[in-house]
Amino acid sequence: DCYDYRSPYARFLDDKERQQDESSELELQYACAAAAVVSADFLLIGAGAGMGVDSGLAAYADVAKVQCWRDCGYAYDTLCRPQLLETHPGDFLGFWAHCFNSYRDATPHEGYTILRKWCDEKDGLKGRTTTSTEVDPPLNLGHFVYSSNVDGHFIQAGFHRDSVFELHGECDRWFCKVCAAAAAAAA
């Protein structure tokens, strides 16, 4: 009952027709998604580790897979805990210096530029050529980025700092506990 008695050529034509139908369906889905982006009043971009991986960065699970951290018995979650700064400051700072340098050395991939162009159009900045984050954003931004990454690639790609929230922190914004406590007390 399961054997297909049609000729190999007939099976090939049926498979090709099925693939074309799937391709047409996928193209229709792309067109619908593009129409939704164009007609949206606001773009909320949610980004995670895949954006960084496509720029050549290690995924979180792989960041700590460096021989020196293994030799010390550190797992990623241990290296990220602020308590390590108090108990083993050299290890903590060495790990984050390695991460920081990796983030700075990596170039944001073309997807960031595409997203920024979409956002520029929503913000009324179509055709902007600068990637400077020093340019004041319009009062009514038509986008916001919510990212679980700490690599700062959205900022590097020209998104204004006020339009990006990196929920795990920003690797390029460091300050000491004493300064943080003083700032919190003053607030």
Side-chain angles (χ1 to χ4, degrees):
D1 287 339
C2 295
Y3 184 76
D4 188 346
Y5 292 98
R6 295 172 300 149
S7 73
Y9 183 70
R11 288 194 303 265
F12 168 78
L13 290 177
D14 285 351
D15 286 346
K16 189 171 182 178
E17 184 177 307
R18 180 184 48 76
Q19 289 171 353
Q20 286 175 342
D21 288 346
E22 289 173 1
S23 177
S24 296
E25 177 64 26
L26 190 57
E27 288 176 23
L28 177 62
Q29 290 174 0
Y30 288 152
C32 289
V37 169
V38 168
S39 65
D41 294 326
F42 188 87
L43 294 178
L44 175 62
I45 299 168
M51 289 291 283
V53 168
D54 286 348
S55 292
L57 296 171
Y60 290 117
D62 299 326
V63 170
K65 290 184 178 173
V66 175
Q67 193 60 46
C68 65
W69 306 127
R70 284 187 200 157
D71 291 347
C72 294
Y74 290 128
Y76 176 72
D77 63 328
T78 305
L79 288 163
C80 292
R81 290 192 181 137
Q83 295 84 350
L84 190 64
L85 180 58
E86 295 173 2
T87 60
H88 296 88
D91 294 345
F92 180 87
L93 293 172
F95 171 73
W96 282 107
H98 170 75
C99 290
F100 179 82
N101 289 334
S102 296
Y103 301 152
R104 291 296 136 237
D105 291 345
T107 302
H109 61 77
E110 185 182 6
Y112 290 92
T113 302
I114 292 168
L115 290 172
R116 197 197 81 230
K117 286 179 182 177
W118 290 356
C119 292
D120 284 352
E121 289 182 15
K122 293 296 172 198
D123 297 344
L125 299 173
K126 188 174 183 178
R128 176 171 69 126
T129 58
T130 181
T131 59
S132 171
T133 59
E134 302 306 316
V135 176
D136 288 333
L139 292 176
N140 297 314
L141 289 175
H143 74 278
F144 193 79
V145 177
Y146 186 81
S147 175
S148 64
N149 296 336
V150 299
D151 55 29
H153 278 192
F154 279 99
I155 305 303
Q156 287 180 31
F159 284 79
H160 194 278
R161 189 173 293 282
D162 291 342
S163 71
V164 178
F165 179 70
E166 293 176 313
L167 71 118
H168 293 299
E170 301 171 48
C171 199
D172 61 343
R173 287 189 165 186
W174 288 62
F175 54 91
C176 70
K177 290 184 355 180
V178 174
C179 300

